[in-house]
Structure formats: C-alpha cells, structure tokens
Amino acid sequence: MKKTHIKRSISLILLILTLILSLPLSASSAQPPFPSPTGELDGKAQCVYDVTHKRFLYKNNPNEVLNTSTSAKIMSGLIACEQLSGRLNEKITITEKMISGVGGYSMKLKAGETVTVKDLLYGAICASYNDAAYALAHVCSGSTEAFVALMNSRADELGAGMTSYTNPIGYPDNSAMVTTLSDTLKIAEAAYHNQLYMEICSRVSYSVRSTNMSDERFFYNRNYLLSADYQYNYYNKKCSGMNAGISGEAGGWSVVTVAHDDGADLICIVLGGTEDDTNIYAYQTVNTLVNWACDEYNSITVFEAGDDIGTVDVGLTGFGTQKGVYVAANDIQAYMPKSSNSSITYHLELDSEYLKAPLTAGDRIGTVNIYCGGELMVSSPVAIKQSYESNGVMIVIDAIGRYTKSRAFIATLICFAILLPTALIIKSRRSKSHGSFRRKY
C-alpha cells in the first residue's frame, strides 16, 4: 500500500510539473509595451509629455522642489499675453520705476523711452530680456509686487501648488522662489494653449524699430534649440517655443520646449541641468529625449470614421434586445510605441446605462477607450450604425418598470405600508363599536 501511495504521489507531482511547464510565460516576463530612454540623462528632473493625448511618455522626479527660472518666465510671459493681446500696438513710456535695479540680460530700455507692447512682449518672451519683463509687470498690474501676486494666484489656478514666485524673471533671490517638474508642466501646458505666447516664443529673431531714445534693435531667440546660428549646436527642427535659461548654482539650467511629431505635440522639460566650458548638458538631454520619443513612437489610425468597432444591446425594439453595431464617429488616432500595435484593446462606455430605441443611425451613444498594454491611449466618441424603431408595448412596460423603481413609487409604498395598519385598526374599532350599539338596542 505504501509503494502504491508513493507512486501515485510521484505521478501527481510529474503531472503538475508538466502542466506548469506547458503554460505560456507570465505577463511579467514578457517584453514591456512601453520603451524608456537609455543612457545617462542630465538634470534633476525630466519629462516628455504628449500634450495632444494628455499622457506621459517619460517622467523622472516630478515632485522635487527646485529653484529654476524657466517656470517664472513662462508664467510672466503667459499672463502678459493673456492681458495684453488686444493692446499690441499701444505705446508705452518706460519709467524709472519699471526698470530700476533690474540686472542681467537686458533690452537696454531707458526711462522716458517709448516702445510698443508688442516690442516688450517679444523682448521678454523671445529674447528673455529681464528689463522688458519688469516693464510688462508694471503695464499689467501697476507694480512688480502686484504682478508677482498675480503670478502666484495664476499658479494656484493651474494646480501648481508647489510653485512660489518672488519676481517676474525667476531670479533666485531667496529660497521662496521654487517650483517642481509637475508644476512647470502645468504652466507650460497652459502657455502651449495660448496662441500669442506660442507665436512669440517660437520666433527665431525679432527687430525693434528705432525709438525716441534708441536705434533699431535686433535680437535672436535665446532658446538654442530654435536656431542653428549659435556657437552651440543644439538646433532641433522638431522643436519650437517655450523657454530656456540658467538660475545660477542653485537652479542650474532649465529647458522647456515643444516638439512636433507625426500626430502629437510633445512638451519636453529638463530642470536642474549642468554645463561645462564646452557643453550645456540640459540641451543635450532635451534633444536625446525628443529624438528618443520620435524614434520609438508614432501615430496610428486605430479606426477610421465609420469603421465597425463592436456590438451593443439595444432595448425597446421588441420582446427582447437586438445587437446593434457601433462605429467610430470620426477617425481615431493614437500615439503609441511602434512595437506595441499588437497589444491594443478597447472598451465601450455608454452615455446611459441602458441603450434603447428609438435610435437614428449616427446618434452618439458613448465613448470608446483605446488601451495599449493596459494603459489608456485615447478616448473617442462612437455612434450607432443603423436606425432602430421602438415597440409601443415595450415603451409602456419600460415606463411602468421605471416608475416602480422611482422615488415617487417607493414613497407611495412607504406611505401605504404606514397607513394600511392604521386604516385597519380604525376599521376594526368602528366595527366593534357598531356591534356593541346593536346589542344594546
């Protein structure tokens, strides 16, 4: 008996081992669908964000508090564009108060000089001139202090709660001038959606006509990604706009740019970058990330408008449900890894819990969510492919069913349940009283 038991145990173990070995590899050992950049990246925090489809392709250290100027210059430029877009040709006379004590990179504005709002915007945003930024602060808010308060308020509105400004240019004058990668992205995304800001920050060069106190000025955009004319060879034809600069030893180099790829715009950010005598490594890292994203990702058409996607139950057409085909309401494109097209899945979310007739072909019925490797890529509306007539009897039955589930019906039942015993008691007492009266007489 013992030998038989041992043989059975061995046979069972061998069977289990055979089954385990015949199983496919687990998902954890499979090739991950999303690539990551390789090699060493400069800076304390970096990201590539697909602003078209609202998703990260890569991010590192998003919430560390850092001292960087780029966030402040994007914010001050954004606010100026929001407030002054209708006043571009208005002439501004520079006062001593506007530019007093402002150092660093300068447009060389003079007290008493008259320039246009447009000239100041291009000076502050395109060339990153500090005196132009301070002048705009006074034009917008009347004083530097009021404008900085507005910058902090706008940061709060955008959800950039870890960001604090003390001046319009991001100069690290104290430890209160801070931001994070996540906050910088929120501010950059708001600027991306401002047409005037993007037009100005993407301009390679600009000239200011001679004024009452200065000859014609000509300057280049200080973002080295946008021009091949600089001594540094960081030009990238896919990039446009945003801002780049250095905040001393405390903040290092920061570069924020928008890159354009087939089917997607990407916001690429490097904060806290380094440099030496020959290289600014933050720029090199931005180019590495942009080129990596464009090499590894592409835009594919998952469904064309009118393509069948799946079926859905349609009620009230008769004594039962019909299978209705739903289609893409428009072309559905997703920006995803080139190697992951085979792992695409999708899921329908109806606008209402129960789809019912009457329906007309083309009616929007919900949203299809496209996933790759389990991660949401894009959401797009879907429509019913054909029309469906409703059945009159089923409409009545449905109305009765909905009423029996309504609050009014439930309230009626509760009232009935409360009042019925009371009515029965009253009736019983009346019956007893009536019987006693008859016996008495």
Side-chain angles (χ1 to χ4, degrees):
M1 290 295 293
K2 289 184 178 180
K3 289 183 178 180
T4 303
H5 180 71
I6 292 172
K7 287 181 178 181
R8 287 179 179 176
S9 298
I10 293 173
S11 298
L12 180 60
I13 291 171
L14 291 173
L15 177 61
I16 292 173
L17 288 172
T18 302
L19 290 172
I20 291 174
L21 292 173
S22 66
L23 291 174
L25 293 175
S26 66
S28 61
S29 62
Q31 183 69 23
F34 298 103
S36 295
T38 57
E40 186 175 350
L41 299 176
D42 184 58
K44 297 178 180 178
Q46 314 88 10
C47 78
V48 182
Y49 180 73
D50 176 359
V51 68
T52 304
H53 303 102
K54 310 293 184 185
R55 55 180 296 271
F56 283 98
L57 306 187
Y58 173 78
K59 63 179 175 179
N60 173 54
N61 204 17
N63 298 315
E64 181 179 349
V65 178
L66 302 169
N67 302 98
T68 66
S69 62
T70 297
S71 168
K73 287 201 170 181
I74 294 175
M75 176 63 85
S76 61
L78 171 62
I79 292 175
C81 286
E82 290 173 341
Q83 292 203 5
L84 304 175
S85 60
R87 300 167 56 184
L88 297 182
N89 295 320
E90 181 179 329
K91 292 185 177 181
I92 303 297
T93 299
I94 303 300
T95 66
E96 184 64 36
K97 185 178 180 182
M98 290 180 179
I99 56 176
S100 177
V102 180
Y105 204 59
S106 172
M107 189 173 168
K108 295 181 172 54
L109 295 169
K110 303 176 180 66
E113 183 175 8
T114 300
V115 293
T116 66
V117 167
K118 183 179 180 180
D119 292 336
L120 291 176
L121 286 171
Y122 273 89
I125 299 171
C126 176
S128 206
Y129 288 134
N130 294 337
D131 54 352
Y134 271 89
L136 285 172
H138 283 260
V139 173
C140 289
S141 301
S143 70
T144 301
E145 293 75 18
F147 188 76
V148 171
L150 181 59
M151 291 172 65
N152 286 313
S153 176
R154 189 78 171 92
D156 288 339
E157 289 176 10
L158 294 173
M162 296 302 293
T163 295
S164 174
Y165 301 120
T166 60
N167 59 67
I169 60 173
Y171 184 79
D173 52 3
N174 59 54
S175 59
M177 178 72 78
V178 294
T179 191
T180 65
L181 177 72
S182 293
D183 282 4
T184 299
L185 176 61
K186 292 172 184 175
I187 295 161
E189 186 172 4
Y192 166 84
H193 290 293
N194 186 286
Q195 184 177 353
L196 178 60
Y197 180 87
M198 288 305 299
E199 178 183 324
I200 296 173
C201 71
S202 300
R203 184 78 167 262
V204 174
S205 62
Y206 183 78
S207 62
V208 179
R209 293 181 179 179
S210 59
T211 69
N212 60 322
M213 299 183 70
S214 176
D215 294 333
E216 182 180 14
R217 297 175 174 94
F218 184 85
F219 48 79
Y220 284 101
N221 195 314
R222 290 188 67 202
N223 185 342
Y224 299 157
L225 294 166
L226 306 187
S227 175
D229 293 336
Y230 286 108
Q231 59 176 326
Y232 300 106
N233 186 24
Y234 302 129
Y235 173 71
N236 191 321
K237 65 181 180 180
K238 291 182 177 292
C239 294
S240 66
M242 293 297 174
N243 185 272
I246 187 169
S247 303
E249 294 182 2
W253 273 93
S254 301
V255 182
V256 180
T257 192
V258 177
H260 309 280
D261 196 20
D262 178 32
D265 283 350
L266 312 173
I267 296 178
C268 183
I269 302 174
V270 173
L271 301 182
T274 62
E275 66 174 340
D276 58 26
D277 293 338
T278 57
N279 290 297
I280 302 173
Y281 295 104
Y283 276 107
Q284 290 184 348
T285 294
V286 165
N287 276 326
T288 296
L289 290 173
V290 168
N291 294 334
W292 161 79
C294 295
D295 288 342
E296 293 289 342
Y297 284 76
N298 67 342
S299 180
I300 69 164
T301 300
V302 184
F303 295 102
E304 294 183 352
D307 280 353
D308 294 356
I309 299 180
T311 60
V312 62
D313 290 338
V314 180
L316 299 189
T317 58
F319 291 95
T321 58
Q322 291 193 39
K323 290 292 184 181
V325 176
Y326 63 92
V327 299
N330 44 47
D331 290 347
I332 303 177
Q333 294 184 323
Y335 190 72
M336 61 180 61
K338 295 176 181 178
S339 59
S340 301
N341 295 352
S342 60
S343 61
I344 297 174
T345 58
Y346 51 90
H347 174 70
L348 174 67
E349 290 185 0
L350 291 174
D351 290 338
S352 60
E353 294 181 2
Y354 179 46
L355 191 62
K356 54 191 177 183
L359 291 170
T360 303
D363 283 350
R364 303 290 176 93
I365 62 169
T367 300
V368 63
N369 296 321
I370 308 296
Y371 296 87
C372 176
E375 184 173 335
L376 180 64
M377 295 287 104
V378 65
S379 298
S380 187
V382 293
I384 197 72
K385 186 173 183 177
Q386 67 185 68
S387 300
Y388 293 88
E389 297 293 332
S390 57
N391 181 287
V393 174
M394 296 308 298
I395 290 176
V396 174
I397 294 173
D398 179 67
I400 294 172
R402 282 188 285 109
Y403 176 72
T404 58
K405 297 176 182 177
S406 67
R407 291 183 178 181
F409 181 74
I410 294 172
T412 302
L413 285 179
I414 293 173
C415 291
F416 182 76
I418 293 172
L419 294 176
L420 179 61
T422 304
L424 291 175
I425 291 171
I426 293 173
K427 182 178 180 181
S428 175
R429 288 179 177 177
R430 285 181 176 177
S431 297
K432 289 180 180 179
S433 175
H434 184 66
S436 300
F437 179 79
R438 292 182 62 182
R439 284 194 299 273
K440 184 176 181 180
Y441 292 96

